[in-house]
Amino acid sequence: MYYNSADVREDNHRYNRIALLSRLMSRTPASVSASFSAFAISTQLNPEDRTALLHFKTQLITIDNPFSEFYDEDVCPHGYPKMSTWDNGTDCCSWMSVTCDSVTGHVIGLDLSCSGLVGNIHPNSTLFHLIHLQTLNLARSDFYGSELPSQFGELVSLTHLNLSYCEFEGDIPSQISHLSKLQSLDLSFNDGLSWKESTWKRMLQNATALREIVSDGTIMSKIKSPLSLIANMSSSLVTLSLAQSEIRGSLTNDILCSFPNLQKLNLANNQDMLIRLSKLSCTTSLSILDLSYCVIQGSIFSSFSNLTYLTSLILKGNDLNGSIPLSLSNLHHLTHLDLSGNNLSGQIPNVFESLTNLQTLSLRGNNFQGKLPSSLFTLTQLSQLDCSSNKFEGPLSDKAAFSNLTKLFLQDNLLNGTIPWWVLSFKSMRSLDLSNNRFVGHTIGVILSTFHSFLSFTNWYIFPSQVNFHGINLFSLILVSTQWLMTFLPFFCNTTSLFDINLSHNNFTGTFPKCLSNSSHNTLDIQMNKFHGTLPDTFPRDLKAVNVNGNRFEGLLPKTLSNCTGLVDLNLGNNQFEDIFPNWLQNLTELEILVLQGNKLYGPIAELKSENIFPRLIIFDISCNNFSGSLPKVYIKSFQAMKILGDKVHDLNYYIETGGTVGDGEDIEVQGYDDSVTATIKGANTPFAKIPTVFVNIDLSENKFEGDIPDIIGELQGLRDLNLSHNRLVGHIPHSLGNLTNLESLDLSSNMLTGKIPSELTNLNFLEALNLSQNQLVGSIPEGKQFDTFLNDSYLGNMGLCGLPLSLQCNNNVPQPQYQSSEGEDKFGFGWKPVAIGYACGMVFGIGLGWFVFWLGKPQWLVIIFDGKWIKRRARITLFSFGL
């Protein structure tokens, strides 16, 4: 190895200074020498690392918004803007996320994961001056889809490198193979980041100490057989995770057996890979195996029984058939088994007697038949059991040893008999769904659940007397789609731990229950019932959501809702409230959903001076009322959340993720607000069981608004649906609407709009529904992109329009029919006097003709002149459906 004279001199100086410090410390008390040592080594021997860190800090932006996705507790439980603690006047080794060598003072560890970092890491970044770094973690940063700098390969001392979820793109640089000391590499889920075969091969050859490779979501389709290359070069691997990486080639018995130390293997979502493990004969250390969504066909490999150390086996979402083999009973250490979303069938054998350590079991979405095996109910460690969407039949076992059970899903089967008492006897139970079976008993229809979970009985049943509801840690009560016994109402009124109340979609009658306004809860959903009267004067201050849509409430809107400062969702639609617009709601800065549709609200909406009205609102529906005056420009200008594109609009924790299956058994994850709504989307009423987080909507239709459409609507670039139809709007369609590039549905029909259709609207690449009918628009219809897909219905009732898809072609030499504009009589080439003369002459002629017909009847010659032919015309009735 080559050393230059400068390196030798620097090493000598460093050695002399350390020796001097050692002598000084030997003459001072221990406590003093320890603190003096840490400061002296880091500041006197290593000022260049501190300078590099401070300069690196200036090259990036730190997002410190606590609601940002960078600090989502589920993703980043310890998220914090760590670089905010870096101060030039302090010891860099004391900074958060920085680790220094105790002898040399060099920075050897840097953990900036979940720190809100945004920007680009340039090739000349001072990060690459920290050549002594051994561990580097930048996970969950946003580097704008930039390329992965090759300079990472200069940090040759690295043993652990984590660049997951950093938004890097392009090819992984070959210099990554220079990191020969690497033990752990995580490049997972960088959109578009891909491996070349030469880079992959060279890294495996050089980094012989690699114990962990996590490259989920990176593209490996350029590599002929990446698993074979690993098997030949990396026998030290403990963790290999290449999920969703477009792997080609096969996973064979020989490859799997070539990893003697492998404990975790995740190859999920690789549909071009062949799995050939039917003759697996070796014994491995494998404890976690995930082969979900790999298009595995045939029966479950009986050879899996040789993997005796398995604790987790996940085979969901494949094309497996047959039944569960008895050989799985050999997996005594198994704690998690997921066979959901396959084509497994037949009756389940008693394989669970020896699987006593099982904690989670999912058989959902198969074709299993017969009774649930009795051994299933003896698993004392089981916490989650999902046997839903099968053809299980017969009664449930009278006894169960599920003392730790938190979730039980048995819905969508053929189970019958009465529901045994143990179903509600476990204090640990949080989610239970027994709906869509054949249980018998009296009508009760109950759902008990935790926040963001649910327990569902949409069956016929009466609870036995030994069930003690007060022994259950009850967080939520949902009574859906059944006729509920009103005598049960005092139960949840007296439940102090109740957070959510959902009595929706029933046949409740009477006035609003007072106990619901006095109790403390977060959400109240009584939509689609027959409650009447007025709403109470008081509401719990902690309310997050109120939905009384589809009842018969009347009177004034309750002003006390303005005290619920944390309110996110307010739906008062489809009642009979009679009031002016509730301007007193403007202080609810957390509000995201406001639905007042289908009431008797009236009058103009006041132009307030505040600039912070509903900054987080993403659904604003006040359609089907009697509002008048101009459109509420001040409100529209304040809708800050609607000005943001994409999912960044939704950074609150009110929306949830719900799981489900589609027709082929595939798992789906749906993000949405924990509320249901029906909206007019693309001209049709669309029900949402959960409001999607991407749903950004303004609906002001079927009112009496007048005046122009304000240009500021064009600033709301997050909008997906805009409906201003059936009002009295005039003037031109704003060119700024062409900025709404997320727009999928635009309805401006049945107004008095004039002028041409702006060509900028052709920029709306996602526009699927357009309705400009029944206005006074003129000129040629824009062509290109989405406009080529719209039919005549989009333009009916605009006599001055021409061009495709209309049959009237545009002739530039012949002026098109024009409409009188409020902007001046000279705009169209004639004034009001000729029009008045024409109307007068027409009226005289009409009166004369009417007198003539009255005395002579309806002569056929007159009919032929004005009607053209003998046809009885049938009036057409056009139905429009709007609102929730």
Side-chain angles (χ1 to χ4, degrees):
M1 183 176 294
Y2 175 78
Y3 293 92
N4 61 35
S5 58
D7 292 333
V8 174
R9 285 196 301 271
E10 176 61 21
D11 288 343
N12 288 336
H13 287 312
R14 183 180 291 111
Y15 176 82
N16 293 334
R17 282 177 289 186
I18 292 175
L20 175 61
L21 288 171
S22 299
R23 288 196 299 273
L24 288 173
M25 288 188 294
S26 65
R27 300 177 184 177
T28 57
S31 60
V32 176
S33 64
S35 59
F36 177 77
S37 171
F39 179 78
I41 290 176
S42 63
T43 57
Q44 294 186 23
L45 301 187
N46 189 29
E48 63 274 11
D49 282 5
R50 181 176 59 177
T51 302
L53 288 172
L54 288 173
H55 194 267
F56 177 61
K57 176 182 178 181
T58 65
Q59 294 175 320
L60 296 173
I61 299 172
T62 300
I63 304 297
D64 57 1
N65 180 3
F67 296 110
S68 171
E69 60 185 2
F70 293 110
Y71 310 116
D72 188 325
E73 290 186 0
D74 294 333
V75 176
C76 294
H78 305 294
Y80 185 79
K82 301 170 186 176
M83 285 201 299
S84 63
T85 66
W86 295 6
D87 187 358
N88 188 24
T90 60
D91 174 19
C92 70
C93 295
S94 66
W95 295 347
M96 179 178 289
S97 77
V98 178
T99 303
C100 295
D101 186 279
S102 60
V103 176
T104 66
H106 284 300
V107 175
I108 60 173
L110 189 60
D111 184 357
L112 292 174
S113 60
C114 297
S115 298
L117 302 185
V118 176
N120 279 319
I121 298 182
H122 298 284
N124 61 354
S125 172
T126 56
L127 173 67
F128 304 119
H129 295 178
L130 304 173
I131 59 175
H132 298 278
L133 272 178
Q134 298 175 18
T135 63
L136 176 61
N137 190 344
L138 300 178
R140 299 282 175 178
S141 299
D142 188 349
F143 297 135
Y144 289 152
S146 58
E147 292 187 353
L148 185 65
S150 61
Q151 285 71 20
F152 277 105
E154 298 175 1
L155 304 177
V156 294
S157 296
L158 279 178
T159 59
H160 295 77
L161 176 61
N162 190 338
L163 300 177
S164 60
Y165 294 93
C166 284
E167 302 296 331
F168 285 120
E169 290 184 358
D171 290 333
I172 296 170
S174 59
Q175 289 82 354
I176 203 80
S177 62
H178 297 172
L179 305 179
S180 59
K181 297 181 180 179
L182 269 186
Q183 299 176 22
S184 174
L185 175 64
D186 191 343
L187 300 177
S188 58
F189 295 109
N190 287 278
D191 294 340
L193 200 62
S194 61
W195 287 95
K196 290 183 178 179
E197 183 162 345
S198 57
T199 305
W200 179 251
K201 186 182 298 185
R202 193 175 304 166
M203 185 200 69
L204 295 174
Q205 288 173 338
N206 295 340
T208 56
L210 266 173
R211 293 172 53 82
E212 180 181 46
I213 299 177
V214 181
S215 193
D216 300 333
T218 59
I219 300 172
M220 308 191 80
S221 58
K222 300 176 183 178
I223 307 175
K224 184 176 181 180
S225 183
L227 296 179
S228 298
L229 292 174
I230 301 176
N232 294 332
M233 302 177 187
S234 299
S235 60
S236 60
L237 274 181
V238 174
T239 298
L240 178 61
S241 188
L242 302 176
Q244 200 173 331
S245 297
E246 301 182 17
I247 293 177
R248 295 190 299 161
S250 304
L251 174 63
T252 62
N253 305 320
D254 294 338
I255 291 177
L256 190 56
C257 292
S258 64
F259 299 115
N261 301 308
L262 194 64
Q263 296 179 13
K264 178 181 178 180
L265 178 61
N266 183 357
L267 300 175
N269 284 281
N270 284 292
Q271 300 183 0
D272 295 327
M273 180 180 57
L274 295 176
I275 308 294
R276 298 174 177 174
L277 299 174
S278 58
K279 297 181 180 180
L280 187 66
S281 58
C282 63
T283 300
T284 71
S285 302
L286 202 63
S287 61
I288 299 175
L289 178 61
D290 189 344
L291 298 177
S292 56
Y293 304 108
C294 285
V295 200
I296 305 175
Q297 298 180 339
S299 57
I300 298 175
F301 301 129
S302 59
S303 58
F304 281 148
S305 60
N306 294 326
L307 305 175
T308 54
Y309 292 99
L310 272 184
T311 60
S312 179
L313 177 59
I314 305 175
L315 301 174
K316 66 179 178 180
N318 285 291
D319 196 18
L320 296 170
N321 54 41
S323 187
I324 298 177
L326 283 165
S327 57
L328 286 189
S329 61
N330 294 333
L331 305 179
H332 303 299
H333 299 287
L334 207 61
T335 58
H336 304 285
L337 177 60
D338 192 340
L339 303 176
S340 61
N342 283 284
N343 292 314
L344 298 171
S345 59
Q347 185 162 351
I348 298 179
N350 266 321
V351 296
F352 301 110
E353 292 178 342
S354 57
L355 304 182
T356 56
N357 292 307
L358 266 184
Q359 297 176 16
T360 65
L361 173 63
S362 181
L363 306 175
R364 173 174 54 86
N366 282 285
N367 293 308
F368 289 119
Q369 302 173 348
K371 294 183 178 180
L372 290 168
S374 58
S375 59
L376 186 62
F377 298 92
T378 64
L379 300 176
T380 58
Q381 303 300 315
L382 205 62
S383 63
Q384 299 181 26
L385 174 60
D386 189 347
C387 295
S388 61
S389 301
N390 281 283
K391 297 177 182 178
F392 290 117
E393 57 188 28
L396 293 178
S397 174
D398 292 336
K399 297 180 180 180
F402 304 144
S403 57
N404 297 313
L405 200 64
T406 61
K407 296 181 179 179
L408 176 60
F409 299 126
L410 300 177
Q411 73 271 20
D412 299 315
N413 280 289
L414 303 174
L415 299 171
N416 55 36
T418 58
I419 300 175
W421 67 270
W422 56 262
V423 168
L424 287 176
S425 65
F426 303 127
K427 294 183 179 181
S428 59
M429 184 73 76
R430 293 293 178 272
S431 302
L432 173 63
D433 193 339
L434 306 180
S435 61
N436 293 316
N437 279 286
R438 298 176 178 178
F439 295 115
V440 297
H442 295 291
T443 302
I444 190 166
V446 132
I447 296 179
L448 303 170
S449 71
T450 60
F451 190 44
H452 290 169
S453 301
F454 62 92
L455 177 162
S456 175
F457 294 147
T458 51
N459 298 290
W460 297 79
Y461 183 71
I462 287 184
F463 287 108
S465 58
Q466 58 263 53
V467 176
N468 181 6
F469 287 106
H470 296 282
I472 301 174
N473 190 6
L474 184 63
F475 288 100
S476 178
L477 175 64
I478 308 175
L479 315 176
V480 181
S481 300
T482 58
Q483 292 184 350
W484 176 249
L485 300 178
M486 290 299 289
T487 55
F488 200 68
L489 193 61
F491 160 68
F492 58 83
C493 287
N494 296 326
T495 304
T496 57
S497 62
L498 197 58
F499 288 169
D500 298 338
I501 297 178
N502 188 333
L503 310 177
S504 64
H505 297 86
N506 281 282
N507 289 315
F508 286 123
T509 59
T511 58
F512 187 92
K514 277 192 174 181
C515 67
L516 297 185
S517 62
N518 296 329
S519 59
S520 177
H521 45 270
N522 289 336
T523 66
L524 173 64
D525 189 347
I526 58 173
Q527 64 176 309
M528 306 309 293
N529 281 286
K530 297 178 181 178
F531 288 115
H532 61 83
T534 60
L535 289 180
D537 294 332
T538 58
F539 282 93
R541 289 180 176 267
D542 295 333
L543 270 177
K544 300 291 185 184
V546 176
N547 192 336
V548 301
N549 179 69
N551 282 281
R552 300 171 182 173
F553 292 116
E554 57 188 19
L556 301 177
L557 299 172
K559 289 187 177 182
T560 53
L561 285 172
S562 62
N563 298 326
C564 305
T565 55
L567 200 62
V568 175
D569 177 4
L570 178 59
N571 190 336
L572 306 177
N574 294 294
N575 282 280
Q576 300 176 28
F577 293 114
E578 191 168 357
D579 202 346
I580 60 174
F581 184 83
N583 294 304
W584 38 266
L585 288 177
Q586 62 178 300
N587 295 326
L588 302 183
T589 57
E590 301 297 317
L591 199 65
E592 299 190 18
I593 299 172
L594 177 59
V595 178
L596 303 176
Q597 183 259 355
N599 282 286
K600 299 178 181 179
L601 306 178
Y602 60 90
I605 299 179
E607 293 288 334
L608 304 177
K609 296 182 179 181
S610 175
E611 296 182 356
N612 194 34
I613 306 173
F614 304 144
R616 308 186 79 135
L617 203 68
I618 60 170
I619 295 179
F620 183 51
D621 187 347
I622 58 173
S623 60
C624 302
N625 281 286
N626 291 309
F627 290 118
S628 58
S630 59
L631 294 177
K633 297 180 183 179
V634 174
Y635 283 85
I636 295 172
K637 186 178 181 179
S638 300
F639 294 161
Q640 298 299 321
M642 295 191 189
K643 298 179 181 180
I644 304 173
L645 288 173
D647 295 336
K648 294 181 180 179
V649 173
H650 314 277
D651 52 9
L652 289 184
N653 59 1
Y654 183 66
Y655 70 83
I656 67 169
E657 289 187 357
T658 57
T661 57
V662 292
D664 57 0
E666 180 182 355
D667 280 337
I668 57 172
E669 293 292 332
V670 179
Q671 287 188 333
Y673 289 86
D674 193 13
D675 188 12
S676 58
V677 71
T678 301
T680 304
I681 305 298
K682 302 171 187 175
N685 284 345
T686 304
F688 293 101
K690 301 289 181 185
I691 302 176
T693 59
V694 296
F695 183 50
V696 183
N697 166 266
I698 290 181
D699 192 343
L700 309 181
S701 62
E702 295 201 63
N703 281 286
K704 298 176 182 178
F705 288 116
E706 56 191 24
D708 297 334
I709 299 175
D711 288 334
I712 55 174
I713 291 183
E715 299 177 6
L716 308 182
Q717 296 187 41
L719 269 181
R720 298 295 181 98
D721 180 74
L722 176 62
N723 192 342
L724 304 179
S725 65
H726 289 78
N727 281 288
R728 302 171 180 175
L729 302 176
V730 298
H732 294 74
I733 298 175
H735 295 264
S736 63
L737 295 188
N739 299 327
L740 304 180
T741 53
N742 265 11
L743 205 64
E744 298 177 4
S745 176
L746 175 62
D747 192 344
L748 305 179
S749 63
S750 298
N751 283 286
M752 295 180 286
L753 300 174
T754 58
K756 293 185 176 182
I757 301 174
S759 60
E760 288 83 355
L761 295 187
T762 59
N763 297 330
L764 307 182
N765 293 328
F766 294 105
L767 195 65
E768 296 182 21
L770 175 68
N771 193 347
L772 303 179
S773 63
Q774 308 304 324
N775 280 285
Q776 300 173 11
L777 301 172
V778 299
S780 59
I781 296 174
E783 297 181 2
K785 299 181 180 178
Q786 291 297 99
F787 266 72
D788 292 342
T789 67
F790 301 132
L791 303 178
N792 293 16
D793 293 348
S794 297
Y795 311 105
L796 292 177
N798 293 279
M799 301 303 295
L801 286 179
C802 61
L804 295 175
L806 302 179
S807 58
L808 178 63
Q809 299 302 308
C810 296
N811 186 346
N812 294 330
N813 298 323
V814 179
Q816 297 293 331
Q818 304 291 336
Y819 295 95
Q820 180 65 21
S821 170
S822 61
E823 296 179 4
E825 63 184 26
D826 294 333
K827 179 174 181 180
F828 297 104
F830 57 89
W832 64 270
K833 293 180 180 179
V835 175
I837 294 172
Y839 273 118
C841 294
M843 181 165 39
V844 171
F845 177 76
I847 293 174
L849 181 64
W851 180 86
F852 185 77
V853 171
F854 176 76
W855 285 103
L856 299 181
K858 186 179 181 183
Q860 293 183 359
W861 60 267
L862 188 62
V863 173
I864 294 175
I865 291 175
F866 287 95
D867 202 27
K869 52 186 175 180
W870 301 100
I871 296 177
K872 292 185 177 179
R873 296 185 178 270
R874 182 174 55 190
R876 291 192 306 168
I877 300 176
T878 303
L879 299 179
F880 296 91
S881 60
F882 296 88
L884 302 184

